[in-house]
């Protein structure tokens, strides 16, 4: 199907945009936006092509433009898998937005890290960005999409939330974009609620917004309904 699409696009003339053209720019966008951690690399899972309306009308004749988007999605999923990259969802989405301010033959591109929709299964391996060093603690998933998962804690600060720029991403609607923060200070660990919508709880007791709650080994956390257990691997201060 890729060859058929490319041949059809090339038949539009010397200014035509073909499959390889789009895929090359999408791959470049994936590489430019990737976020690398010690554990894995997270890349955008949603891409929007910006095209001149006349170009899109020609590309989408007979719904071939829609088929092009599906083929690009498959190619990007394959690319992410081949490079060992992770996505917030199992599928990549590619769509087209018409832009009258673009000249014919020109293309714009936008990308984003989009959490799963309600009922959509998240990508099974969720990212944790760490700053390096040995593992001094960990968070164990107890419920929902994180059940049975474990993330090492090596940083003095670990930000937790739904947005892709967190250190630990929880792609669940009830979790705030920036929900809570795990801190290492004063010889112990603390949990800070970042004014979350659905609250942060430690062993069933709510942590007030802006409050730093001291944590102990085995404490159970509830972040917007997502349950985690905090474990200390190495006592702070040990060499």
């Amino acid at each position: 199907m890729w060859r058929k699409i490319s041949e059809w696009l090339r038949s539009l003339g010397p200014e035509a945009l073909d499959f390889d053209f789009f895929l090359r720019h999408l791959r470049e966008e994936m590489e430019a936006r990737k976020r690398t951690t010690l554990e894995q690399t997270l890349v955008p899972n949603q891409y929007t092509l910006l095209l001149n309306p006349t170009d899109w009308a020609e590309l989408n004749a007979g719904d071939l433009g829609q088929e092009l988007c599906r083929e690009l999605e498959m190619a990007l999923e394959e690319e992410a898998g081949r490079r060992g990259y992770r996505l917030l969802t199992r599928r990549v989405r590619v769509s087209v937005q018409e832009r009258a301010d673009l000249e014919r033959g020109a293309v714009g591109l936008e990308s984003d890290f989009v959490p799963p929709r309600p009922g959509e299964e998240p990508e099974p391996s969720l990212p944790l960005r760490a700053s390096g060093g040995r593992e001094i603690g960990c968070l164990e998933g107890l419920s929902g999409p994180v059940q049975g998962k474990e993330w090492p804690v090596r940083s003095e600060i670990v930000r937790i939330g739904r947005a892709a720029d967190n250190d630990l991403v929880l792609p669940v609607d009830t979790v705030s974009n920036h929900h809570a923060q795990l801190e290492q200070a004063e010889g112990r660990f603390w949990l800070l609620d970042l004014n979350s919508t659905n609250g942060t709880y430690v062993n069933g007791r709510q942590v007030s917004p802006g409050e730093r709650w001291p944590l102990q080994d085995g404490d159970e956390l509830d972040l917007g309904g997502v349950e985690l257990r905090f474990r200390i691997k190495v006592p702070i201060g040990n060499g």
Side-chain angles (χ1 to χ4, degrees), residues 171-230:
V172 178
D173 288 342
T174 54
V175 174
S176 296
N177 284 330
H178 302 94
H179 196 107
Q181 181 169 293
L182 181 65
E183 300 178 355
Q184 176 192 337
E186 303 168 9
R188 67 184 311 164
F189 288 96
W190 306 81
L191 187 65
L192 175 68
D193 179 83
L194 301 177
N195 296 307
S196 64
T197 299
N198 293 314
T200 299
Y201 298 81
V202 177
N203 299 326
R205 182 168 179 178
Q206 185 170 11
V207 180
S208 301
E211 179 182 6
R212 295 171 69 215
W213 189 274
L215 293 179
Q216 298 180 7
D217 182 49
D219 279 349
E220 294 190 1
L221 319 180
D222 184 322
L223 309 181
V226 175
E227 297 175 340
L228 305 166
R229 179 182 290 115
F230 175 70

Side-chain angles (χ1 to χ4, degrees), residues 31-74:
E31 287 296 314
R33 296 288 311 279
K34 68 182 180 182
R35 300 179 179 184
T36 302
T37 77
L38 289 181
E39 283 75 27
Q40 55 196 319
T41 298
L42 181 68
V43 293
N45 58 340
Q46 179 169 292
Y47 299 83
T48 304
L49 297 168
L50 310 176
L51 298 176
N52 176 278
T54 303
D55 282 337
W56 176 236
E58 294 183 359
L59 290 174
N60 199 35
D63 290 330
L64 283 179
Q66 297 296 335
E67 186 63 29
L68 170 66
C69 289
R70 287 192 290 270
E71 295 290 342
L72 289 170
E73 290 170 350
M74 292 168 54

Side-chain angles (χ1 to χ4, degrees), residues 100-215:
D101 58 327
L102 289 177
E103 297 180 357
R104 291 212 60 189
V107 59
L109 182 57
E110 297 176 345
S111 63
D112 201 0
F113 299 83
V114 180
R117 298 172 180 173
E120 181 180 11
E121 189 173 359
E123 209 282 340
S125 183
L126 301 177
L128 173 63
R129 180 184 297 109
S131 63
R134 62 181 177 172
E135 181 179 350
I136 53 178
C138 75
L139 290 167
E140 301 172 347
L142 301 179
S143 67
V146 303
Q147 185 171 5
K149 301 182 185 300
E150 181 176 313
W151 300 271
V153 175
R154 298 188 179 98
S155 306
E156 292 185 355
I157 296 178
V158 175
R159 296 179 178 86
I160 307 170
R162 192 174 74 247
D165 60 353
N166 287 285
D167 302 304
L168 173 55
V169 178
L170 300 176
V172 178
D173 288 342
T174 54
V175 174
S176 296
N177 284 330
H178 302 94
H179 196 107
Q181 181 169 293
L182 181 65
E183 300 178 355
Q184 176 192 337
E186 303 168 9
R188 67 184 311 164
F189 288 96
W190 306 81
L191 187 65
L192 175 68
D193 179 83
L194 301 177
N195 296 307
S196 64
T197 299
N198 293 314
T200 299
Y201 298 81
V202 177
N203 299 326
R205 182 168 179 178
Q206 185 170 11
V207 180
S208 301
E211 179 182 6
R212 295 171 69 215
W213 189 274
L215 293 179

